[in-house]
Amino acid sequence: MRILNITFSIDNGAESSWVMYVKKNILSDDTYHSTLLRIHSDESTHPSYGVQFNFDTIEKLNAFKAQQLPLIYAALHKEFPNKWVMFETELEAILP
């Protein structure tokens, strides 16, 4: 299994709206299995979340990154301009 993990750091004032938007508009799509995770870290940092998308193959992950992910980022930029930053990590499950 391949996992695309996107870690987001969210502006404090946009956190609750951002979480609701992601749940309603991104994670509700049944096309792919996805999870929203709260990252617990130092209290002096911005709220952080991980969004994970699971895929059976690297080809499906790459297709998602090429076709769907730009649309997701564009929607987030439109709804929450300058209120978040992110980085992506690709993971491969080794054990079941």
Side-chain angles (χ1 to χ4, degrees):
M1 175 184 354
R2 297 295 183 128
I3 302 166
L4 175 62
N5 181 79
I6 308 168
T7 300
F8 290 92
S9 180
I10 312 300
D11 183 86
N12 288 325
E15 180 182 12
S16 61
S17 298
W18 185 91
V19 169
M20 286 190 302
Y21 182 87
V22 167
K23 285 180 179 178
K24 180 179 177 186
N25 297 292
I26 297 170
L27 302 181
S28 62
D29 187 341
D30 291 336
T31 306
Y32 38 79
H33 178 71
S34 56
T35 306
L36 177 64
L37 305 160
R38 175 72 161 103
I39 299 171
H40 296 277
S41 59
D42 188 330
E43 291 180 17
S44 66
T45 63
H46 287 281
S48 297
Y49 291 86
V51 177
Q52 293 186 339
F53 299 95
N54 299 318
F55 302 92
D56 296 333
T57 66
I58 188 69
E59 292 79 16
K60 289 181 181 178
L61 183 149
N62 288 335
F64 175 83
K65 287 179 72 174
Q67 298 166 9
Q68 295 301 110
L69 200 52
L71 300 175
I72 290 171
Y73 289 152
L76 288 171
H77 278 296
K78 182 179 178 183
E79 193 71 23
F80 302 98
N82 302 315
K83 299 293 183 184
W84 57 276
V85 295
M86 53 60 88
F87 66 90
E88 297 174 12
T89 308
E90 290 185 25
L91 308 168
E92 180 180 5
I94 303 300
L95 295 174

mmCIF file with all atom_site columns, all heavy atoms in Angstrom, residues 3-17:
data_model
loop_
_atom_site.group_PDB
_atom_site.id
_atom_site.type_symbol
_atom_site.label_atom_id
_atom_site.label_alt_id
_atom_site.label_comp_id
_atom_site.label_asym_id
_atom_site.label_entity_id
_atom_site.label_seq_id
_atom_site.pdbx_PDB_ins_code
_atom_site.Cartn_x
_atom_site.Cartn_y
_atom_site.Cartn_z
_atom_site.occupancy
_atom_site.B_iso_or_equiv
_atom_site.pdbx_formal_charge
_atom_site.auth_seq_id
_atom_site.auth_comp_id
_atom_site.auth_asym_id
_atom_site.auth_atom_id
_atom_site.pdbx_PDB_model_num
ATOM 1   N N   . ILE A 1 3  ? 0.904   5.449  0.658  1.00 0.00 ? 3  ILE A N   1
ATOM 2   C CA  . ILE A 1 3  ? 0.192   6.488  1.394  1.00 0.00 ? 3  ILE A CA  1
ATOM 3   C C   . ILE A 1 3  ? 0.804   7.833  1.047  1.00 0.00 ? 3  ILE A C   1
ATOM 4   O O   . ILE A 1 3  ? 2.026   7.996  1.104  1.00 0.00 ? 3  ILE A O   1
ATOM 5   C CB  . ILE A 1 3  ? 0.267   6.259  2.913  1.00 0.00 ? 3  ILE A CB  1
ATOM 6   C CG1 . ILE A 1 3  ? -0.311  4.894  3.277  1.00 0.00 ? 3  ILE A CG1 1
ATOM 7   C CG2 . ILE A 1 3  ? -0.447  7.383  3.669  1.00 0.00 ? 3  ILE A CG2 1
ATOM 8   C CD1 . ILE A 1 3  ? 0.032   4.443  4.684  1.00 0.00 ? 3  ILE A CD1 1
ATOM 9   N N   . LEU A 1 4  ? -0.045  8.773  0.707  1.00 0.00 ? 4  LEU A N   1
ATOM 10  C CA  . LEU A 1 4  ? 0.392   10.153 0.551  1.00 0.00 ? 4  LEU A CA  1
ATOM 11  C C   . LEU A 1 4  ? -0.026  10.880 1.823  1.00 0.00 ? 4  LEU A C   1
ATOM 12  O O   . LEU A 1 4  ? -1.223  10.970 2.127  1.00 0.00 ? 4  LEU A O   1
ATOM 13  C CB  . LEU A 1 4  ? -0.251  10.810 -0.673 1.00 0.00 ? 4  LEU A CB  1
ATOM 14  C CG  . LEU A 1 4  ? 0.065   12.289 -0.847 1.00 0.00 ? 4  LEU A CG  1
ATOM 15  C CD1 . LEU A 1 4  ? 1.564   12.510 -1.058 1.00 0.00 ? 4  LEU A CD1 1
ATOM 16  C CD2 . LEU A 1 4  ? -0.733  12.877 -1.989 1.00 0.00 ? 4  LEU A CD2 1
ATOM 17  N N   . ASN A 1 5  ? 0.953   11.334 2.592  1.00 0.00 ? 5  ASN A N   1
ATOM 18  C CA  . ASN A 1 5  ? 0.679   12.093 3.805  1.00 0.00 ? 5  ASN A CA  1
ATOM 19  C C   . ASN A 1 5  ? 0.995   13.556 3.526  1.00 0.00 ? 5  ASN A C   1
ATOM 20  O O   . ASN A 1 5  ? 2.086   13.886 3.073  1.00 0.00 ? 5  ASN A O   1
ATOM 21  C CB  . ASN A 1 5  ? 1.555   11.596 4.962  1.00 0.00 ? 5  ASN A CB  1
ATOM 22  C CG  . ASN A 1 5  ? 1.266   12.369 6.231  1.00 0.00 ? 5  ASN A CG  1
ATOM 23  O OD1 . ASN A 1 5  ? 0.282   12.111 6.900  1.00 0.00 ? 5  ASN A OD1 1
ATOM 24  N ND2 . ASN A 1 5  ? 2.116   13.328 6.562  1.00 0.00 ? 5  ASN A ND2 1
ATOM 25  N N   . ILE A 1 6  ? 0.032   14.412 3.783  1.00 0.00 ? 6  ILE A N   1
ATOM 26  C CA  . ILE A 1 6  ? 0.230   15.851 3.622  1.00 0.00 ? 6  ILE A CA  1
ATOM 27  C C   . ILE A 1 6  ? 0.087   16.474 5.001  1.00 0.00 ? 6  ILE A C   1
ATOM 28  O O   . ILE A 1 6  ? -0.963  16.354 5.644  1.00 0.00 ? 6  ILE A O   1
ATOM 29  C CB  . ILE A 1 6  ? -0.783  16.470 2.648  1.00 0.00 ? 6  ILE A CB  1
ATOM 30  C CG1 . ILE A 1 6  ? -0.792  15.700 1.334  1.00 0.00 ? 6  ILE A CG1 1
ATOM 31  C CG2 . ILE A 1 6  ? -0.467  17.948 2.428  1.00 0.00 ? 6  ILE A CG2 1
ATOM 32  C CD1 . ILE A 1 6  ? -1.948  16.057 0.428  1.00 0.00 ? 6  ILE A CD1 1
ATOM 33  N N   . THR A 1 7  ? 1.155   17.105 5.462  1.00 0.00 ? 7  THR A N   1
ATOM 34  C CA  . THR A 1 7  ? 1.140   17.767 6.760  1.00 0.00 ? 7  THR A CA  1
ATOM 35  C C   . THR A 1 7  ? 0.848   19.241 6.541  1.00 0.00 ? 7  THR A C   1
ATOM 36  O O   . THR A 1 7  ? 1.537   19.900 5.755  1.00 0.00 ? 7  THR A O   1
ATOM 37  C CB  . THR A 1 7  ? 2.482   17.584 7.483  1.00 0.00 ? 7  THR A CB  1
ATOM 38  O OG1 . THR A 1 7  ? 2.711   16.184 7.660  1.00 0.00 ? 7  THR A OG1 1
ATOM 39  C CG2 . THR A 1 7  ? 2.468   18.278 8.842  1.00 0.00 ? 7  THR A CG2 1
ATOM 40  N N   . PHE A 1 8  ? -0.185  19.730 7.213  1.00 0.00 ? 8  PHE A N   1
ATOM 41  C CA  . PHE A 1 8  ? -0.611  21.128 7.101  1.00 0.00 ? 8  PHE A CA  1
ATOM 42  C C   . PHE A 1 8  ? -0.374  21.849 8.420  1.00 0.00 ? 8  PHE A C   1
ATOM 43  O O   . PHE A 1 8  ? -0.674  21.307 9.488  1.00 0.00 ? 8  PHE A O   1
ATOM 44  C CB  . PHE A 1 8  ? -2.117  21.216 6.801  1.00 0.00 ? 8  PHE A CB  1
ATOM 45  C CG  . PHE A 1 8  ? -2.504  20.765 5.433  1.00 0.00 ? 8  PHE A CG  1
ATOM 46  C CD1 . PHE A 1 8  ? -2.871  19.444 5.205  1.00 0.00 ? 8  PHE A CD1 1
ATOM 47  C CD2 . PHE A 1 8  ? -2.543  21.648 4.370  1.00 0.00 ? 8  PHE A CD2 1
ATOM 48  C CE1 . PHE A 1 8  ? -3.264  19.015 3.947  1.00 0.00 ? 8  PHE A CE1 1
ATOM 49  C CE2 . PHE A 1 8  ? -2.929  21.229 3.105  1.00 0.00 ? 8  PHE A CE2 1
ATOM 50  C CZ  . PHE A 1 8  ? -3.284  19.914 2.895  1.00 0.00 ? 8  PHE A CZ  1
ATOM 51  N N   . SER A 1 9  ? 0.134   23.051 8.346  1.00 0.00 ? 9  SER A N   1
ATOM 52  C CA  . SER A 1 9  ? 0.202   23.960 9.489  1.00 0.00 ? 9  SER A CA  1
ATOM 53  C C   . SER A 1 9  ? -0.798  25.078 9.196  1.00 0.00 ? 9  SER A C   1
ATOM 54  O O   . SER A 1 9  ? -0.727  25.720 8.143  1.00 0.00 ? 9  SER A O   1
ATOM 55  C CB  . SER A 1 9  ? 1.614   24.526 9.643  1.00 0.00 ? 9  SER A CB  1
ATOM 56  O OG  . SER A 1 9  ? 1.663   25.405 10.742 1.00 0.00 ? 9  SER A OG  1
ATOM 57  N N   . ILE A 1 10 ? -1.735  25.267 10.115 1.00 0.00 ? 10 ILE A N   1
ATOM 58  C CA  . ILE A 1 10 ? -2.879  26.142 9.877  1.00 0.00 ? 10 ILE A CA  1
ATOM 59  C C   . ILE A 1 10 ? -2.804  27.383 10.766 1.00 0.00 ? 10 ILE A C   1
ATOM 60  O O   . ILE A 1 10 ? -2.469  27.290 11.952 1.00 0.00 ? 10 ILE A O   1
ATOM 61  C CB  . ILE A 1 10 ? -4.202  25.397 10.202 1.00 0.00 ? 10 ILE A CB  1
ATOM 62  C CG1 . ILE A 1 10 ? -4.229  24.012 9.551  1.00 0.00 ? 10 ILE A CG1 1
ATOM 63  C CG2 . ILE A 1 10 ? -5.415  26.226 9.816  1.00 0.00 ? 10 ILE A CG2 1
ATOM 64  C CD1 . ILE A 1 10 ? -4.120  24.015 8.070  1.00 0.00 ? 10 ILE A CD1 1
ATOM 65  N N   . ASP A 1 11 ? -3.177  28.517 10.227 1.00 0.00 ? 11 ASP A N   1
ATOM 66  C CA  . ASP A 1 11 ? -3.289  29.741 11.018 1.00 0.00 ? 11 ASP A CA  1
ATOM 67  C C   . ASP A 1 11 ? -4.303  29.519 12.134 1.00 0.00 ? 11 ASP A C   1
ATOM 68  O O   . ASP A 1 11 ? -5.367  28.935 11.910 1.00 0.00 ? 11 ASP A O   1
ATOM 69  C CB  . ASP A 1 11 ? -3.735  30.881 10.099 1.00 0.00 ? 11 ASP A CB  1
ATOM 70  C CG  . ASP A 1 11 ? -3.812  32.199 10.828 1.00 0.00 ? 11 ASP A CG  1
ATOM 71  O OD1 . ASP A 1 11 ? -2.781  32.885 10.918 1.00 0.00 ? 11 ASP A OD1 1
ATOM 72  O OD2 . ASP A 1 11 ? -4.915  32.524 11.300 1.00 0.00 ? 11 ASP A OD2 1
ATOM 73  N N   . ASN A 1 12 ? -3.984  29.985 13.340 1.00 0.00 ? 12 ASN A N   1
ATOM 74  C CA  . ASN A 1 12 ? -4.873  29.775 14.499 1.00 0.00 ? 12 ASN A CA  1
ATOM 75  C C   . ASN A 1 12 ? -6.309  30.220 14.239 1.00 0.00 ? 12 ASN A C   1
ATOM 76  O O   . ASN A 1 12 ? -7.251  29.532 14.619 1.00 0.00 ? 12 ASN A O   1
ATOM 77  C CB  . ASN A 1 12 ? -4.335  30.509 15.728 1.00 0.00 ? 12 ASN A CB  1
ATOM 78  C CG  . ASN A 1 12 ? -3.100  29.858 16.305 1.00 0.00 ? 12 ASN A CG  1
ATOM 79  O OD1 . ASN A 1 12 ? -2.962  28.642 16.280 1.00 0.00 ? 12 ASN A OD1 1
ATOM 80  N ND2 . ASN A 1 12 ? -2.187  30.677 16.804 1.00 0.00 ? 12 ASN A ND2 1
ATOM 81  N N   . GLY A 1 13 ? -6.496  31.355 13.595 1.00 0.00 ? 13 GLY A N   1
ATOM 82  C CA  . GLY A 1 13 ? -7.827  31.887 13.360 1.00 0.00 ? 13 GLY A CA  1
ATOM 83  C C   . GLY A 1 13 ? -8.640  31.123 12.331 1.00 0.00 ? 13 GLY A C   1
ATOM 84  O O   . GLY A 1 13 ? -9.859  31.273 12.261 1.00 0.00 ? 13 GLY A O   1
ATOM 85  N N   . ALA A 1 14 ? -7.982  30.295 11.541 1.00 0.00 ? 14 ALA A N   1
ATOM 86  C CA  . ALA A 1 14 ? -8.674  29.558 10.484 1.00 0.00 ? 14 ALA A CA  1
ATOM 87  C C   . ALA A 1 14 ? -8.853  28.082 10.810 1.00 0.00 ? 14 ALA A C   1
ATOM 88  O O   . ALA A 1 14 ? -9.487  27.362 10.037 1.00 0.00 ? 14 ALA A O   1
ATOM 89  C CB  . ALA A 1 14 ? -7.903  29.694 9.174  1.00 0.00 ? 14 ALA A CB  1
ATOM 90  N N   . GLU A 1 15 ? -8.350  27.637 11.950 1.00 0.00 ? 15 GLU A N   1
ATOM 91  C CA  . GLU A 1 15 ? -8.307  26.201 12.235 1.00 0.00 ? 15 GLU A CA  1
ATOM 92  C C   . GLU A 1 15 ? -9.666  25.512 12.164 1.00 0.00 ? 15 GLU A C   1
ATOM 93  O O   . GLU A 1 15 ? -9.826  24.534 11.421 1.00 0.00 ? 15 GLU A O   1
ATOM 94  C CB  . GLU A 1 15 ? -7.689  25.945 13.610 1.00 0.00 ? 15 GLU A CB  1
ATOM 95  C CG  . GLU A 1 15 ? -7.626  24.469 13.947 1.00 0.00 ? 15 GLU A CG  1
ATOM 96  C CD  . GLU A 1 15 ? -7.062  24.193 15.328 1.00 0.00 ? 15 GLU A CD  1
ATOM 97  O OE1 . GLU A 1 15 ? -6.921  25.135 16.134 1.00 0.00 ? 15 GLU A OE1 1
ATOM 98  O OE2 . GLU A 1 15 ? -6.778  23.011 15.593 1.00 0.00 ? 15 GLU A OE2 1
ATOM 99  N N   . SER A 1 16 ? -10.643 25.955 12.905 1.00 0.00 ? 16 SER A N   1
ATOM 100 C CA  . SER A 1 16 ? -11.926 25.239 12.943 1.00 0.00 ? 16 SER A CA  1
ATOM 101 C C   . SER A 1 16 ? -12.619 25.266 11.580 1.00 0.00 ? 16 SER A C   1
ATOM 102 O O   . SER A 1 16 ? -13.173 24.254 11.137 1.00 0.00 ? 16 SER A O   1
ATOM 103 C CB  . SER A 1 16 ? -12.840 25.776 14.037 1.00 0.00 ? 16 SER A CB  1
ATOM 104 O OG  . SER A 1 16 ? -13.131 27.134 13.820 1.00 0.00 ? 16 SER A OG  1
ATOM 105 N N   . SER A 1 17 ? -12.564 26.389 10.890 1.00 0.00 ? 17 SER A N   1
ATOM 106 C CA  . SER A 1 17 ? -13.168 26.473 9.550  1.00 0.00 ? 17 SER A CA  1
ATOM 107 C C   . SER A 1 17 ? -12.434 25.578 8.564  1.00 0.00 ? 17 SER A C   1
ATOM 108 O O   . SER A 1 17 ? -13.062 24.923 7.731  1.00 0.00 ? 17 SER A O   1
ATOM 109 C CB  . SER A 1 17 ? -13.132 27.911 9.032  1.00 0.00 ? 17 SER A CB  1
ATOM 110 O OG  . SER A 1 17 ? -13.882 28.752 9.863  1.00 0.00 ? 17 SER A OG  1
#
